[in-house]
Amino acid sequence: MRKWSSHAVDDGTLHALGNGRLAVYEQGPNINQVFGPPYSSPSFLKLVINESENVETHSYRETGTAIWTHRIYRNQENIGEITDFVDWHYPCLIRKIVLKQSLKFKLVVDEDVKLLDNGHRYASFSSTVGLLAVAKAGRFIYGRYPTTNDSVLQVIGTGSLNHHGSREGNIREWWCGPGESLMYLAGGRSYPECVLTAEEVLSSDYNTRLSSSRDYWKKYSSGRISLESKLRRDVPLQSLMEAIDDYSVLVKTQQGSEGGILAGHNYHLGYIRDQYGAFRCLLKLGHYDEAKEVLRFYWHTWRKSGFLKNAQGIGNDGLFHVHENDDVEITGYLIIQAFDYLKQTNDEALIKEICPMLEWAWTVQTDHLACDMLPFNGDETYIACGILPRDIIYDGSAEATMLFIIAGEVFLEWLKQNQIWEHVKWKEQHKIWHKTMKSYRINFWNDNKIMTNNPNRKKGLQLPRFRHGVCESCSYFGWTENDGNNRYVCASCMSGSAVLEEKKDTIYYLQSVSLMHLYMGSTLFSREELARILDDIIIQYERDGSLPSKPNSTITLGYDYGLFLYGLTVLQHPLSNEIFEKILSIRDSVGAWTEYYINETPQGTRYRPWEGGMNLESAIHYAMNN
């Protein structure tokens, strides 16, 4: 249960409600974002309790569902409660408000959105207030990526919900008096769809909609593998089962009906890397249908375009978030997760169906091999979070190259068994894989440590003149150009007088990269070698009580403890008991993990499927190993 106050300092904690078509992010009872359908849509409306209201709320989620109840207190007296859920079938948030005392809300719509008072048209449904918000096509979903269709939201109130006070621009104050009131927030891909959705939901009984939505969630939750009998007797069972339930709802609410999973409230797109961690955890929990839909999302997108990028639109075809070197790292994850799925389900038919996409994901990587190494993807976690500088992108990446090798091992063997490629082609590709695998130790093993990057990959390499990504000078995102010093800057910085110095080659050693070998099941190094690396990390943790992603840093990536626990479990180290408890303890008040931590404080994007999936899978992996 989470406490929230209208005067509290914003700690960033959010939770999601969603049915694959309409997504809502709330902070306590405050609606901070609402968008869809589809999930790759802009958010332009907020509904919050008025700042003048001296109230506190205690919010909790009904187990096994995304039904939230917010109990409201004024001067420590319970004055009512709000129940929220997104209907299981229609793209509509339904809110029931039961009050003993009146309460004021503020509805805020972005200024460039058309806002129409239209409650009268729903008078036959006993409406007391209504607002239609229409955002024109072209509005940005994220960054500068536009939607190709209008976004429409209809808000309707019944009972004692009504206007209160002034109506300034696109801000409306609503008043809700004692008794029972209902609010509906319906979406649609078009104006007609939105209106029809509103009419369908209004014509239904509230209790029927709540009951059918509860049944929908119970069916989903009951589909999980029963883990209790498989767990160690010494683990805190209740805490782990709560974490499993929290995460299962977290990921389901953020999975679009097209299969793609949102990367969190900031990113209304489907990121391949982020979805890998969520995908693995879905398999661990037995949610095979949801995992399959992720692969189908990629397959649909790839068939339409012939490629995949760092992130793709969910239900918004033709929308891509393009970073530097999108042909590497994420393509390795793509192949690996397909075969993770095959191992769990034996669904050969799906893998054969999507094989053309997997072939593409393999061949585009080989084009980037230099000195038997792949470069970094520009949105790779360490670079994106500022742990590594962006100027190393063309260095050899230990992680991207490892993923290529792991992917190649399972993919090439499967191709051979199913006689997909002619022998000559298969032999040629196997030779490339074998050479890369044999060179890995030479390229990335130094002084009994795994190098994160190897600058030698750039030797003799002609770097491109232009690339799409982040300006190394001002952080602008878009097209950048090589400034002559192998630094990439935007057009404005290229035209300026300041010149970036050519960076000297530096080798980095990140703990996360070493731990990824254990998490991914890599056999590139012996168990003894990985154990020695892990020992160094253990010594530092026991000395400092923290796990920075690199020495002398205050940043811990959101999944670092999960990687640490996974490695400790594989090597059966006694510290795994403490780290298991640590993982459960760093969840926020709605049971979620965050993008990263600074001095153990949650930072960045909240309610994350990627970090949460890796941490929870690692916790379950520990709890199932006796």
Side-chain angles (χ1 to χ4, degrees):
M1 182 166 64
R2 163 168 200 235
K3 291 185 178 181
W4 174 91
S5 169
S6 58
H7 300 290
V9 175
D10 181 3
D11 68 354
T13 304
L14 296 167
H15 62 266
L17 302 90
N19 65 353
R21 300 179 66 198
L22 186 86
V24 179
Y25 286 99
E26 292 186 340
Q27 185 170 48
N30 282 346
I31 297 172
N32 286 5
Q33 289 189 31
V34 55
F35 52 93
Y39 266 19
S40 284
S41 295
S43 177
F44 51 85
L45 180 149
K46 296 182 180 181
L47 181 69
V48 301
I49 293 178
N50 198 301
E51 297 92 335
S52 64
E53 298 293 285
N54 183 28
V55 297
E56 181 181 87
T57 68
H58 297 180
S59 301
Y60 65 93
R61 181 181 60 79
E62 183 179 318
T63 302
T65 77
I67 300 169
W68 283 82
T69 298
H70 315 284
R71 291 179 181 152
I72 307 164
Y73 296 84
R74 180 179 283 140
N75 298 323
Q76 299 183 333
E77 177 189 354
N78 178 226
I79 66 166
E81 67 179 34
I82 296 171
T83 302
D84 287 337
F85 66 97
V86 170
D87 186 78
W88 76 276
H89 179 69
Y90 295 105
C92 184
L93 171 75
I94 302 176
R95 165 170 281 190
K96 182 179 180 179
I97 308 170
V98 180
L99 297 175
K100 298 175 185 176
Q101 299 177 18
S102 63
L103 195 64
K104 296 175 187 176
F105 296 88
K106 181 185 291 186
L107 188 146
V108 182
V109 178
D110 290 356
E111 291 183 0
D112 60 338
V113 174
K114 182 182 290 187
L115 187 61
L116 304 170
D117 292 273
N118 70 343
H120 61 278
R121 72 167 295 167
Y122 298 103
S124 62
F125 298 103
S126 302
S127 66
T128 54
V129 64
L131 291 168
L132 180 73
V134 182
K136 291 183 178 179
R139 188 175 183 82
F140 295 145
I141 296 168
Y142 162 67
R144 299 193 315 280
Y145 302 116
T147 181
T148 56
N149 56 280
D150 289 352
S151 297
V152 189
L153 292 173
Q154 174 72 61
V155 192
I156 303 164
T158 68
S160 63
L161 267 172
N162 218 317
H163 288 298
H164 175 83
S166 62
R167 308 179 187 183
E168 300 177 7
N170 277 9
I171 299 176
R172 299 287 191 275
E173 282 195 349
W174 282 10
W175 176 87
C176 190
E180 179 178 305
S181 302
L182 295 173
M183 189 200 77
Y184 302 87
L185 208 168
R189 282 180 175 267
S190 64
Y191 171 67
E193 183 180 313
C194 182
V195 172
L196 291 172
T197 293
E199 290 175 349
E200 287 285 345
V201 177
L202 283 166
S203 63
S204 302
D205 174 67
Y206 168 83
N207 289 323
T208 300
R209 300 250 54 90
L210 176 62
S211 179
S212 60
S213 296
R214 180 178 287 120
D215 289 344
Y216 163 83
W217 277 104
K218 293 295 186 181
K219 181 180 179 181
Y220 164 72
S221 297
S222 65
R224 289 200 298 266
I225 292 173
S226 179
L227 295 171
E228 288 90 336
S229 63
K230 302 176 183 179
L231 302 179
R232 298 165 48 148
R233 295 182 179 180
D234 61 338
V235 301
L237 182 61
Q238 183 176 348
S239 296
L240 180 58
M241 298 312 295
E242 286 176 356
I244 289 172
D245 189 63
D246 287 335
Y247 181 77
S248 297
V249 172
L250 176 154
V251 70
K252 183 65 172 176
T253 55
Q254 294 181 94
Q255 183 171 30
S257 57
E258 297 80 9
I261 301 172
L262 296 169
H265 60 94
N266 286 343
Y267 309 112
H268 299 182
L269 302 169
Y271 288 72
I272 293 178
R273 180 204 59 202
D274 291 64
Q275 289 176 119
Y276 177 74
F279 182 93
R280 271 186 56 159
C281 196
L282 284 170
L283 290 179
K284 193 77 171 180
L285 295 172
H287 289 306
Y288 300 139
D289 289 342
E290 284 70 24
K292 184 176 184 176
E293 287 307 303
V294 175
L295 292 174
R296 287 217 163 275
F297 165 66
Y298 294 139
W299 177 231
H300 168 83
T301 305
W302 186 85
R303 280 189 300 168
K304 289 270 188 177
S305 62
F307 59 81
L308 296 168
K309 293 296 181 182
N310 185 258
Q312 0 289 317
I314 302 172
N316 205 325
D317 292 340
L319 177 64
F320 297 94
H321 180 46
V322 182
H323 247 286
E324 303 95 340
N325 297 337
D326 277 349
D327 288 343
V328 303
E329 189 201 14
I330 57 175
T331 41
Y333 280 128
L334 181 63
I335 295 171
I336 293 168
Q337 71 180 23
F339 286 92
D340 286 345
Y341 172 79
L342 178 62
K343 184 178 180 180
Q344 287 291 323
T345 65
N346 295 316
D347 189 354
E348 286 276 358
L350 178 65
I351 305 305
K352 288 180 178 178
E353 181 185 357
I354 68 174
C355 183
M357 176 180 71
L358 303 180
E359 291 180 74
W360 165 83
W362 172 259
T363 56
V364 293
Q365 292 183 81
T366 61
D367 292 339
H368 292 269
L369 283 169
C371 301
D372 303 318
M373 292 180 275
L374 290 177
F376 287 82
N377 175 282
D379 199 38
E380 191 275 339
T381 304
Y382 317 120
I383 294 173
C385 287
I387 295 172
L388 291 176
R390 193 162 293 274
D391 58 81
I392 70 160
I393 279 178
Y394 293 113
D395 288 6
S397 165
E399 196 159 297
T401 309
M402 174 194 67
L403 294 171
F404 173 80
I405 294 168
I406 293 173
E409 183 173 11
V410 291
F411 184 43
L412 291 171
E413 179 61 27
W414 181 84
L415 289 168
K416 183 179 181 181
Q417 290 178 358
N418 289 274
Q419 299 180 336
I420 305 292
W421 285 351
E422 293 182 357
H423 181 67
V424 173
K425 180 179 180 180
W426 183 89
K427 191 173 182 180
E428 175 187 84
Q429 294 301 308
H430 187 270
K431 183 178 179 181
I432 293 171
W433 170 83
H434 189 264
K435 186 171 182 289
T436 307
M437 186 266 294
K438 285 295 184 182
S439 300
Y440 193 87
R441 178 179 290 271
I442 297 170
N443 285 327
F444 295 109
W445 186 249
N446 180 45
D447 194 25
N448 291 319
K449 292 186 292 185
I450 300 173
M451 298 158 52
T452 295
N453 64 305
N454 188 338
N456 289 336
R457 180 184 176 275
K458 299 194 299 285
K459 289 183 178 179
L461 198 64
Q462 182 66 43
L463 300 186
R465 180 176 174 184
F466 300 99
R467 74 185 189 196
H468 196 274
V470 179
C471 173
E472 293 184 57
S473 180
C474 71
S475 297
Y476 162 87
F477 187 82
W479 280 107
T480 63
E481 185 175 1
N482 191 323
D483 66 356
N485 286 331
N486 292 329
R487 306 293 298 280
Y488 286 80
V489 296
C490 66
S492 295
C493 293
M494 193 73 176
S495 302
S497 57
V499 178
L500 296 178
E501 294 182 0
E502 185 170 7
K503 282 289 190 77
K504 293 182 179 180
D505 289 339
T506 304
I507 295 175
Y508 297 89
Y509 297 88
L510 298 190
Q511 297 175 158
S512 306
V513 174
S514 302
L515 294 171
M516 279 294 286
H517 279 260
L518 289 160
Y519 176 71
M520 297 302 300
S522 166
T523 57
L524 290 165
F525 301 104
S526 70
R527 185 184 181 94
E528 292 71 26
E529 287 169 333
L530 293 174
R532 285 199 296 271
I533 293 172
L534 194 63
D535 282 341
D536 291 338
I537 300 173
I538 291 168
I539 290 169
Q540 183 211 298
Y541 174 80
E542 291 181 332
R543 182 189 67 226
D544 303 331
S546 62
L547 187 70
S549 294
K550 67 177 180 180
N552 303 317
S553 171
T554 60
I555 299 176
T556 300
L557 295 176
Y559 56 76
D560 273 346
Y561 279 109
L563 290 178
F564 194 27
L565 177 60
Y566 204 95
L568 291 168
T569 302
V570 169
L571 299 175
Q572 298 181 326
H573 194 282
L575 184 61
S576 57
N577 302 330
E578 179 179 335
I579 302 304
F580 171 80
E581 294 179 1
K582 180 81 171 182
I583 279 180
L584 295 181
S585 73
I586 62 173
R587 297 186 303 140
D588 63 22
S589 56
V590 295
W593 288 275
T594 192
E595 187 175 10
Y596 58 97
Y597 299 82
I598 297 180
N599 293 324
E600 303 292 308
T601 302
Q603 301 288 329
T605 307
R606 308 299 284 268
Y607 216 65
R608 289 273 283 185
W610 155 246
E611 289 82 2
M614 294 179 73
N615 287 334
L616 181 58
E617 186 202 354
S618 297
I620 296 172
H621 179 66
Y622 162 81
M624 292 178 67
N625 277 269
N626 295 306

